[in-house]
Amino acid sequence: MNARPRHLLDFDDYTPERLGAILDNADVMRAVLDRPVKKVPALQGLTVCTAFFENSTRTRTSFELAARRMSADVLSFAAGSSSVSKGESLRDTIETLTAYKVDAFIVRHHASGAAHLVAKYSGKPVINAGDGRRAHPTQALLDAYTIRRELGSLEGKNVTIIGDVRHSRVARSNAQLLPMLGANVTLCGPATLLPRDLAHLPGVKLTTNAQDAVTGADAVMALRLQGERMNGGYLGSLQEYIREYQVNDALLARASDDAIVLHPGPMNRDVEISSAAADGPRSRILQQVENGQAIRMSVLYHLLVGRA
Amino acid sequence: MLKIENVKRLGSEQLETLFVENGYIKGWNLNDTAEQTLDGRGGTVIPALIELHAHLREPGQTEKEDLASGLAAAAAGGYGTVVSMPNTSPVVDDPSIVRALIEKADGLGLARLRPAAALTKGQSGKELAELALLKDAGAVMFTDDGRTNEDARMLRLGLEYAHSLGLMVSVHAEDATLRADGVMNEGPVSEALGLPGNPAAAEAARVARDIEIAAFTGARLHVQHLSTARALDLVREAKKRGVPVTCEVCPHHLTLTDEALRSFDALYKVAPPLRTQADADALLAGLLDGTVDCLSTDHAPHTRAEKERDLLEAPFGIAYIELAFPLMVTRFADTLGVERIVNLMTSAPARLMGWDEPNLTEGAPADFTVVDLDTERVVDPSTFKSKAKHTPWAGETLRGWPTLTVVGGRVAFERA
């Protein structure tokens, strides 16, 4: 295996073996979460900073719990209530936080590439918790982990991702990760929300036809449709979108018999996914949340133990 | 009298002495005495370079650049004349601003300033500026650069009016609605990076429109910083049809591609964006076949703090007027030849502007630069005269550095 990467910004520096090790390790972390005392001393003495320049409750909670369950101290920085709103530059903010002797950063930012800049300016290990449209690697890892747990393997599995692919870092990260682990990815959405150039990614197919996309799929992931897409002229109407692209039982009937349903959350119920599908027997949406904590513990362990 | 010893003429290995008097070239190898003697150190004398497209940021944004730093940077880059863009604060749309800029620049003794003025008031695209009065004040070209000319009728009127005054209109040819929020070239790289893309079609569509307007008005149109193969083809076809259109390309579009954005470094964020290698190759072919009329830099300085922002927030632009000539010589001397590069940066822009073509014979204005075509130097931004001391080429080894720039018979720059 190659040298251990210093950061998790995307999967560019990762080998399938390394990624497999992170998934394997998540099994161990899940076992920790099932114990009466859900805490291990792995990161004792280390301080992890969650630097969130964009609002997020779920991802932030998941990361902070993961860090605390590994006994790290957590410094929680939210840009909305800080000097960033007074015009401080990203560089100055990060250099200030680094001066607090933080050992690692977990970064969310509205701009693609911001996590790379934090890595450059801080010199500390950085986990990308979502940057612009680019990447959300721990979300993709927890998706991969969930599929692997539920279906036994990723090798040769057909994963269909439906919705606003254009603006989705979840879709981009999954489209990078899942083929590295042996799965086939189909990205599907209205042409205005499905950039043609994503077809250049290895192991990725594009289609605007949801029925074709779901046929034979082993996992179907619905992406959140954001209201502002309507104002941007990307769609004719919400009703039309629902008719063509909603993940519902009728559409899922085309998937393989044991296909599972995923959603990165938060959901617009009965928009991109029907309530019946979200709550039905195929749904693994809550398992994703649970697995997310295990994956984030595994990533923190992988990057920080014996290093920071 | 000033004399420069130990200099060569382009294409010659013979060391000669150039004499200058009262701002003009007195002659070569004269048997004359001089009050001041400079050692050309074996460099090659070429006419001072002419820049048709630089942002000097004065008035209003002098934290980025001002006339003193910008014109000093130009002189250090071998330029004797700079056309400054009017997208300042306030916009250069008033004759008094044009006069003030020229007066201030004249007092600096650096590169000459030839301001471009806004085509429309406030560069709003809604009302023509006082083009005749601006010309009288010293404006040499009209452009709403920094903005795109969204209103086709206004561009038509501006072209017609400017043409009647004998001046050129230059355009930032990008359809702003198609560009939308794009911060880099749209393509596989922008999608992989998750950054909003600016499609090549935004440039081609606008160039096509503007060519049609130039064709039916008969007025001279100059397309700035052309970046795509397709738009270049449109210019090529238009020239064949006899449409009065010219265009420029910038060295950064010849030497960098959208792959550079994989660094997420906003140094590479420019408008129009860095395109693909195929586009860069096409631009070079355009230089070789004469479709591209001249080289310009679009020198666009910003503060370091601004360029250290994320890619969505950082401003567009690279500042490198001090590097353009060595960059072109180092990268393209083999394909274009030094003589062609010199021509594209001296005679070609002068021809476009309707100015006398620069030369180094007796009686010509003493605007020249001595360049060292052989010695390699590492790019060290800390030595830049520009206030923008950051560049994509920091640490690169280049040759062809200007060592002495003389403007109007006065030494405007001398490299230590």
Side-chain angles (χ1 to χ4, degrees), chain A residues 3-155:
Chain A
R4 193 160 42 146
R6 186 167 163 75
H7 311 286
L8 179 62
L9 303 173
D10 46 43
F11 301 114
D12 286 355
D13 298 332
Y14 282 75
T15 60
E17 294 74 23
R18 177 72 61 193
L19 295 164
I22 292 174
L23 298 186
D24 292 345
N25 196 36
D27 284 334
V28 180
M29 298 304 170
R30 261 193 74 103
V32 171
L33 294 175
D34 290 335
R35 291 182 200 162
V37 177
K38 302 168 187 60
K39 197 155 186 162
V40 289
L43 301 184
Q44 200 157 35
L46 299 183
T47 304
V48 172
C49 176
T50 52
F52 275 50
F53 296 86
E54 186 184 75
N55 290 334
S56 156
T57 309
R58 300 153 63 105
T59 303
R60 181 197 194 98
T61 307
S62 178
F63 267 111
E64 291 188 355
L65 262 180
R68 290 201 173 99
R69 295 202 193 286
M70 314 247 326
S71 301
D73 294 314
V74 176
L75 170 63
S76 188
F77 172 83
S81 58
S82 78
S83 44
V84 172
S85 54
K86 299 172 195 159
E88 187 175 60
S89 74
L90 177 64
R91 180 181 186 156
D92 288 338
T93 305
I94 292 303
E95 286 180 347
T96 302
L97 292 169
T98 306
Y100 288 135
K101 305 296 181 195
V102 163
D103 297 295
F105 284 94
I106 295 163
V107 179
R108 171 165 285 198
H109 200 286
H110 69 279
S112 301
H116 288 71
L117 297 181
V118 174
K120 181 173 155 186
Y121 298 140
S122 73
K124 298 292 178 184
V126 172
I127 298 172
N128 184 359
D131 64 331
R133 308 174 183 182
R134 173 165 167 76
H136 194 353
T138 58
Q139 177 69 42
L141 282 166
L142 77 88
D143 293 335
Y145 181 71
T146 304
I147 296 169
R148 197 177 83 163
R149 255 180 92 87
E150 300 295 329
L151 303 180
S153 157
L154 283 156
E155 192 61 45

Side-chain angles (χ1 to χ4, degrees), chain B residues 41-234:
Chain B
R41 293 179 276 180
T44 300
V45 191
I46 60 172
L49 309 178
I50 297 172
E51 170 63 273
L52 294 191
H53 190 163
H55 297 271
L56 300 184
R57 306 298 189 201
E58 187 168 339
Q61 295 174 304
T62 50
E63 72 282 5
K64 297 172 191 267
E65 194 81 287
D66 57 26
L67 290 183
S69 64
L71 294 173
Y79 289 86
T81 302
V82 176
V83 175
S84 58
M85 292 295 107
N87 61 330
T88 49
S89 180
V91 165
V92 182
D93 63 356
D94 187 286
S96 66
I97 306 176
V98 175
R99 276 191 215 98
L101 287 173
I102 293 171
E103 197 173 310
K104 181 166 178 189
D106 282 350
L108 293 170
L110 299 163
R112 295 176 199 275
L113 180 72
R114 296 280 184 265
L119 184 66
T120 61
K121 283 181 187 152
Q123 294 191 310
S124 65
K126 295 196 173 90
E127 248 186 303
L128 284 187
E130 296 170 314
L131 303 186
L133 298 183
L134 287 161
K135 180 191 175 187
D136 285 351
V140 295
M141 178 205 287
F142 300 111
T143 180
D144 280 346
D145 180 44
R147 302 275 191 91
T148 53
N149 305 88
E150 293 309 296
D151 185 328
R153 177 176 163 273
M154 281 312 301
L155 180 65
R156 173 209 174 148
L157 299 177
L159 277 168
E160 288 173 335
Y161 205 120
H163 194 59
S164 75
L165 300 171
L167 293 189
M168 183 166 96
V169 171
S170 73
V171 291
H172 183 131
E174 249 186 341
D175 184 308
T177 60
L178 205 46
R179 176 186 67 192
D181 59 353
V183 299
M184 67 175 292
N185 182 51
E186 180 173 324
V189 181
S190 70
E191 289 311 331
L193 299 184
L195 285 164
N198 170 349
E203 181 176 85
R206 180 50 55 86
V207 167
R209 184 200 81 170
D210 291 356
I211 283 171
E212 289 308 310
I213 297 171
F216 100 92
T217 57
R220 265 293 304 288
L221 172 81
H222 180 67
V223 181
Q224 301 173 329
H225 46 45
L226 205 86
S227 70
T228 62
R230 179 61 196 140
L232 187 70
D233 272 345
L234 289 165

Side-chain angles (χ1 to χ4, degrees), chain A residues 55-291:
Chain A
N55 290 334
S56 156
T57 309
R58 300 153 63 105
T59 303
R60 181 197 194 98
T61 307
S62 178
F63 267 111
E64 291 188 355
L65 262 180
R68 290 201 173 99
R69 295 202 193 286
M70 314 247 326
S71 301
D73 294 314
V74 176
L75 170 63
S76 188
F77 172 83
S81 58
S82 78
S83 44
V84 172
S85 54
K86 299 172 195 159
E88 187 175 60
S89 74
L90 177 64
R91 180 181 186 156
D92 288 338
T93 305
I94 292 303
E95 286 180 347
T96 302
L97 292 169
T98 306
Y100 288 135
K101 305 296 181 195
V102 163
D103 297 295
F105 284 94
I106 295 163
V107 179
R108 171 165 285 198
H109 200 286
H110 69 279
S112 301
H116 288 71
L117 297 181
V118 174
K120 181 173 155 186
Y121 298 140
S122 73
K124 298 292 178 184
V126 172
I127 298 172
N128 184 359
D131 64 331
R133 308 174 183 182
R134 173 165 167 76
H136 194 353
T138 58
Q139 177 69 42
L141 282 166
L142 77 88
D143 293 335
Y145 181 71
T146 304
I147 296 169
R148 197 177 83 163
R149 255 180 92 87
E150 300 295 329
L151 303 180
S153 157
L154 283 156
E155 192 61 45
K157 293 290 187 291
N158 297 314
V159 181
T160 295
I161 301 174
I162 303 185
D164 179 1
V165 174
R166 176 181 292 278
H167 300 96
S168 175
R169 51 195 170 213
V170 175
R172 277 188 181 73
S173 273
N174 270 303
Q176 188 184 17
L177 174 68
L178 295 174
M180 290 174 80
L181 299 174
N184 310 306
V185 171
T186 301
L187 300 175
C188 176
T192 48
L193 295 175
L194 187 70
R196 288 171 298 157
D197 289 311
L198 286 176
H200 287 84
L201 297 174
V204 173
K205 278 194 313 191
L206 306 188
T207 175
T208 56
N209 185 316
Q211 311 227 340
D212 289 350
V214 170
T215 302
D218 299 299
V220 178
M221 182 189 299
L223 298 174
R224 196 160 77 88
L225 186 71
Q226 289 157 34
E228 64 266 28
R229 304 298 164 235
M230 298 298 302
N231 301 333
Y234 292 97
L235 298 171
S237 74
L238 210 53
Q239 289 69 29
E240 183 184 87
Y241 178 84
I242 291 167
R243 199 189 79 173
E244 298 290 320
Y245 296 102
Q246 186 186 72
V247 174
N248 52 34
D249 289 341
L251 192 64
L252 289 168
R254 295 173 168 267
S256 72
D257 291 342
D258 55 354
I260 59 170
V261 171
L262 305 171
H263 192 299
M267 283 185 285
N268 297 305
R269 280 178 176 269
D270 299 315
V271 179
E272 70 266 5
I273 187 166
S274 69
S275 280
D279 302 330
R282 294 174 185 268
S283 174
R284 298 294 183 274
I285 295 170
L286 288 176
Q287 283 86 337
Q288 285 177 276
V289 177
E290 191 177 342
N291 292 337

